[in-house]
């Protein structure tokens, strides 16, 4: 049985190499290859190339594991471990040249089903800043040699990160929801990459993050970062993070934020 630390070593190496490849392609110029769920939901040639690179590296190192990636789908393995991969999280930032996008790689025990897996290792790498956030189950969350811990929110309220997703029908309700959150917020951030939002909660750079409509590869690694940094992370009340909702914060602020949100069950 491979340890979580061994899986993390593989995740960090591949995230770093994949991020460098994506960064190189970004400097060469970005081409949008297609749109997906909505006109705003784009995939670049680099998303596809970087995911193919990650998939090939994992197949070489861990041939019995499953794979679940944003651009190339799911394939079951026989080892009980599945790799959940977003080659470029924050693709719109990547396309516009905003330096907030990341490679996100998680190793989970179980299948490609958020509700059924246990995350063992996760790496989130922003090649533009050079920051690689990493966590393994029971081993803490780290940025370089700094152990990460979620923040405690003061009287000014929480600095809250959120996102609005690609589905235009959800934007009105998301704005109404934000209006309900404002009384407990000191301010709001819209970073544009769920994996970096979650890494920011883990690092205490924001006090909370919530978003509806994200996909498993957006939050698989980041949710482990938050949990290992002492935070609370979930979805609908009592549930796991999912497409209906992802919430992450220090435990006290989480319990203030959760009742203000809408949930899709
Ligand atoms: C993005 C998320 C972001 C969300 C976007 C999108 P992508 O992932 O990280 O939080 O608001 O709608 O889901 O598509 O760049 O991998």
């Amino acid at each position: 049985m491979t340890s979580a630390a061994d899986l993390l070593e593989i995740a960090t190496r591949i995230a770093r190499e994949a991020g460098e490849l994506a960064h190189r392609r970004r400097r060469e110029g970005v081409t949008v290859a297609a749109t997906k769920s909505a006109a705003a939901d784009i995939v670049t040639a680099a998303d596809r190339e970087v995911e193919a690179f990650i998939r090939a590296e994992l197949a070489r190192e861990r041939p019995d594991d499953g794979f679940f990636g944003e651009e190339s789908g799911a394939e079951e393995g026989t080892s009980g471990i599945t790799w959940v991969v977003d080659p470029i999280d924050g693709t719109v930032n990547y396309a516009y040249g905003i330096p907030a996008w990341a490679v996100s790689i998680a190793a989970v025990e179980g299948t490609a089903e958020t509700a059924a897996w246990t995350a063992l290792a996760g790496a989130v790498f922003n090649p533009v800043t050079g920051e690689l956030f990493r966590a393994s189950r029971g081993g803490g969350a780290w940025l370089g040699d700094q152990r990460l811990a979620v923040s405690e929110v003061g009287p000014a309220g929480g600095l809250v990160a959120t996102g609005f997703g690609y589905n235009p029908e959800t934007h009105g309700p998301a704005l109404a929801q934000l209006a309900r959150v404002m009384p407990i917020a000191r301010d709001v951030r819209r970073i544009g990459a769920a994996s970096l939002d979650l890494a920011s909660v883990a690092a205490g750079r924001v006090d909370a993050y919530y978003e509806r409509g994200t996909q498993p590869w957006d939050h698989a690694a980041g949710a482990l970062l938050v949990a290992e940094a002492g935070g609370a992370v979930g979805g609908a009340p009592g549930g796991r993070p999912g497409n209906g909702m992802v919430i992450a914060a220090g435990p006290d602020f989480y319990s203030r934020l959760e009742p203000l949100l809408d949930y899709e069950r």
Side-chain angles (χ1 to χ4, degrees):
M1 175 68 195
T2 323
S3 71
D6 292 340
L7 295 170
L8 181 57
E9 208 177 301
I10 295 168
T12 54
R13 179 193 60 84
I14 298 177
R16 205 176 274 287
E17 289 177 16
E20 278 154 15
L21 171 62
H23 202 191
R24 213 157 50 238
R25 293 292 180 257
R26 164 74 227 164
R27 286 190 294 259
E28 289 163 7
V30 177
T31 48
V32 174
T35 56
K36 298 193 284 183
S37 63
D41 185 3
I42 53 169
V43 55
T44 70
D47 286 270
R48 290 177 175 163
E49 183 186 0
V50 174
E51 181 157 318
F53 169 79
I54 295 169
R55 196 166 184 159
E57 286 296 301
L58 287 170
R60 201 165 54 78
E61 285 225 30
R62 304 275 312 169
D64 299 332
D65 294 353
F67 182 86
F68 184 32
E70 173 165 19
E71 312 303 343
S72 61
E75 188 183 330
E76 272 188 34
T78 53
S79 66
I81 305 288
T82 302
W83 293 87
V84 185
V85 170
D86 193 339
I88 300 177
D89 181 39
T91 305
V92 173
N93 285 347
Y94 181 80
Y96 274 75
I98 297 170
W101 51 272
V103 178
S104 175
I105 301 181
V108 306
E109 197 167 13
T111 59
E113 185 55 50
T114 328
W117 75 43
T118 302
L120 300 177
V124 173
F125 179 48
N126 176 346
V128 187
T129 60
E131 290 185 317
L132 196 153
F133 300 86
R134 64 190 197 283
S136 60
R137 192 171 182 76
W142 299 83
L143 175 59
D145 58 6
Q146 182 198 348
R147 190 165 185 159
L148 302 180
V150 297
S151 59
E152 287 203 13
V153 177
L159 186 58
V160 177
T162 190
F164 299 95
Y166 294 124
N167 180 357
E169 283 173 23
T170 65
H171 294 163
L175 290 167
Q177 176 169 260
L178 182 58
R180 289 198 302 279
V181 170
M182 285 315 283
I184 64 164
R186 72 184 300 153
D187 206 343
V188 171
R189 296 289 180 269
R190 199 304 190 234
I191 294 171
S195 61
L196 292 176
D197 286 304
L198 289 161
S200 299
V201 173
R205 291 181 184 173
V206 296
D207 297 307
Y209 162 69
Y210 74 87
E211 184 168 353
R212 193 165 166 170
T214 60
Q215 302 296 330
W217 45 79
D218 295 320
H219 55 75
L224 181 64
L225 285 166
V226 173
E228 287 295 325
V233 54
R240 313 277 299 266
N243 186 258
M245 184 56 77
V246 178
I247 320 170
D252 290 348
F253 196 71
Y254 189 102
S255 60
R256 293 171 64 199
L257 178 62
E258 186 192 54
L260 303 175
L261 304 179
D262 291 322
Y263 299 95
E264 205 173 79
R265 287 166 197 282

Tab-separated table of all heavy atoms in Angstrom, residues 114-115 211-216 219 234-236 239-247 264:
chain	number	residue	atom	x	y	z
A	114	THR	N	-17.291	12.351	-5.839
A	114	THR	CA	-16.892	13.189	-4.692
A	114	THR	C	-17.435	12.650	-3.371
A	114	THR	O	-16.723	12.633	-2.360
A	114	THR	CB	-17.473	14.618	-4.819
A	114	THR	OG1	-17.554	14.959	-6.181
A	114	THR	CG2	-16.651	15.609	-4.075
A	115	ALA	N	-18.710	12.220	-3.391
A	115	ALA	CA	-19.346	11.810	-2.142
A	115	ALA	C	-18.741	10.520	-1.600
A	115	ALA	O	-18.906	10.195	-0.430
A	115	ALA	CB	-20.834	11.629	-2.382
A	211	GLU	N	-18.853	28.609	-3.221
A	211	GLU	CA	-19.237	28.724	-4.631
A	211	GLU	C	-20.135	27.552	-4.992
A	211	GLU	O	-19.928	26.429	-4.543
A	211	GLU	CB	-17.994	28.735	-5.540
A	211	GLU	CG	-18.360	28.952	-7.003
A	211	GLU	CD	-17.167	29.265	-7.911
A	211	GLU	OE1	-16.054	29.458	-7.405
A	211	GLU	OE2	-17.382	29.295	-9.138
A	212	ARG	N	-21.111	27.856	-5.834
A	212	ARG	CA	-22.000	26.833	-6.373
A	212	ARG	C	-21.560	26.549	-7.808
A	212	ARG	O	-21.109	27.459	-8.493
A	212	ARG	CB	-23.402	27.429	-6.360
A	212	ARG	CG	-24.502	26.479	-6.576
A	212	ARG	CD	-25.780	27.183	-6.151
A	212	ARG	NE	-26.905	26.419	-6.650
A	212	ARG	CZ	-28.159	26.666	-6.279
A	212	ARG	NH1	-28.419	27.639	-5.452
A	212	ARG	NH2	-29.132	25.945	-6.761
A	213	GLY	N	-21.689	25.300	-8.256
A	213	GLY	CA	-21.470	25.001	-9.672
A	213	GLY	C	-20.057	24.577	-10.035
A	213	GLY	O	-19.745	24.473	-11.216
A	214	THR	N	-19.211	24.339	-9.041
A	214	THR	CA	-17.853	23.875	-9.374
A	214	THR	C	-17.874	22.361	-9.611
A	214	THR	O	-18.828	21.664	-9.258
A	214	THR	CB	-16.841	24.204	-8.261
A	214	THR	OG1	-17.268	23.563	-7.071
A	214	THR	CG2	-16.711	25.694	-8.043
A	215	GLN	N	-16.785	21.868	-10.170
A	215	GLN	CA	-16.665	20.445	-10.513
A	215	GLN	C	-15.647	19.776	-9.573
A	215	GLN	O	-14.827	20.466	-8.963
A	215	GLN	CB	-16.194	20.312	-11.969
A	215	GLN	CG	-17.109	20.985	-12.982
A	215	GLN	CD	-18.493	20.358	-13.025
A	215	GLN	OE1	-18.657	19.162	-12.761
A	215	GLN	NE2	-19.511	21.162	-13.317
A	216	PRO	N	-15.686	18.446	-9.483
A	216	PRO	CA	-14.797	17.745	-8.534
A	216	PRO	C	-13.319	18.110	-8.698
A	216	PRO	O	-12.590	18.242	-7.706
A	216	PRO	CB	-15.022	16.269	-8.843
A	216	PRO	CG	-16.379	16.195	-9.463
A	216	PRO	CD	-16.601	17.507	-10.180
A	219	HIS	N	-12.110	21.285	-6.843
A	219	HIS	CA	-11.966	21.374	-5.381
A	219	HIS	C	-11.327	20.161	-4.707
A	219	HIS	O	-11.127	20.182	-3.493
A	219	HIS	CB	-13.308	21.719	-4.729
A	219	HIS	CG	-14.439	20.790	-5.071
A	219	HIS	ND1	-14.552	19.539	-4.545
A	219	HIS	CD2	-15.506	20.949	-5.896
A	219	HIS	CE1	-15.647	18.969	-5.022
A	219	HIS	NE2	-16.236	19.794	-5.845
A	234	GLY	N	-17.189	21.740	3.340
A	234	GLY	CA	-18.365	20.915	3.086
A	234	GLY	C	-19.159	21.451	1.915
A	234	GLY	O	-18.702	22.320	1.164
A	235	GLY	N	-20.367	20.898	1.779
A	235	GLY	CA	-21.253	21.312	0.695
A	235	GLY	C	-22.593	21.697	1.292
A	235	GLY	O	-22.657	22.546	2.177
A	236	ALA	N	-23.651	21.033	0.856
A	236	ALA	CA	-24.959	21.241	1.483
A	236	ALA	C	-24.829	20.837	2.955
A	236	ALA	O	-23.969	20.007	3.282
A	236	ALA	CB	-25.991	20.386	0.776
A	239	GLY	N	-23.146	17.764	4.334
A	239	GLY	CA	-22.683	16.986	3.179
A	239	GLY	C	-21.271	17.336	2.750
A	239	GLY	O	-20.634	18.237	3.292
A	240	ARG	N	-20.798	16.630	1.751
A	240	ARG	CA	-19.460	16.838	1.201
A	240	ARG	C	-19.506	17.963	0.165
A	240	ARG	O	-20.562	18.249	-0.398
A	240	ARG	CB	-18.983	15.545	0.508
A	240	ARG	CG	-19.195	14.269	1.335
A	240	ARG	CD	-18.077	14.078	2.325
A	240	ARG	NE	-16.794	13.930	1.681
A	240	ARG	CZ	-16.245	12.753	1.371
A	240	ARG	NH1	-16.872	11.622	1.615
A	240	ARG	NH2	-15.041	12.698	0.826
A	241	PRO	N	-18.342	18.549	-0.145
A	241	PRO	CA	-18.317	19.558	-1.216
A	241	PRO	C	-18.808	18.942	-2.522
A	241	PRO	O	-18.486	17.786	-2.805
A	241	PRO	CB	-16.829	19.924	-1.335
A	241	PRO	CG	-16.175	19.395	-0.117
A	241	PRO	CD	-17.018	18.274	0.411
A	242	GLY	N	-19.574	19.677	-3.279
A	242	GLY	CA	-20.096	19.130	-4.533
A	242	GLY	C	-20.540	20.247	-5.453
A	242	GLY	O	-20.366	21.430	-5.147
A	243	ASN	N	-21.136	19.861	-6.560
A	243	ASN	CA	-21.578	20.832	-7.555
A	243	ASN	C	-22.616	21.801	-6.969
A	243	ASN	O	-22.657	22.977	-7.331
A	243	ASN	CB	-22.171	20.065	-8.745
A	243	ASN	CG	-22.529	20.979	-9.876
A	243	ASN	OD1	-23.701	21.301	-10.058
A	243	ASN	ND2	-21.548	21.426	-10.621
A	244	GLY	N	-23.424	21.333	-6.027
A	244	GLY	CA	-24.450	22.177	-5.407
A	244	GLY	C	-23.859	23.275	-4.552
A	244	GLY	O	-24.427	24.373	-4.462
A	245	MET	N	-22.722	23.009	-3.890
A	245	MET	CA	-22.072	24.019	-3.043
A	245	MET	C	-20.728	23.502	-2.545
A	245	MET	O	-20.578	22.306	-2.260
A	245	MET	CB	-22.960	24.348	-1.834
A	245	MET	CG	-22.430	25.455	-0.930
A	245	MET	SD	-22.099	27.020	-1.784
A	245	MET	CE	-23.754	27.662	-1.974
A	246	VAL	N	-19.776	24.417	-2.466
A	246	VAL	CA	-18.524	24.181	-1.740
A	246	VAL	C	-18.395	25.334	-0.743
A	246	VAL	O	-18.518	26.496	-1.136
A	246	VAL	CB	-17.286	24.201	-2.673
A	246	VAL	CG1	-16.006	24.002	-1.872
A	246	VAL	CG2	-17.404	23.141	-3.757
A	247	ILE	N	-18.174	25.013	0.529
A	247	ILE	CA	-17.927	26.057	1.544
A	247	ILE	C	-16.661	25.664	2.287
A	247	ILE	O	-16.478	24.491	2.640
A	247	ILE	CB	-19.009	26.138	2.643
A	247	ILE	CG1	-20.408	25.965	2.074
A	247	ILE	CG2	-18.905	27.442	3.420
A	247	ILE	CD1	-21.448	25.802	3.183
A	264	GLU	N	-28.413	23.318	-3.336
A	264	GLU	CA	-29.092	22.466	-4.315
A	264	GLU	C	-28.891	21.049	-3.793
A	264	GLU	O	-27.757	20.652	-3.525
A	264	GLU	CB	-28.350	22.609	-5.642
A	264	GLU	CG	-29.170	22.327	-6.839
A	264	GLU	CD	-28.332	22.683	-8.056
A	264	GLU	OE1	-27.470	21.874	-8.418
A	264	GLU	OE2	-28.537	23.786	-8.588
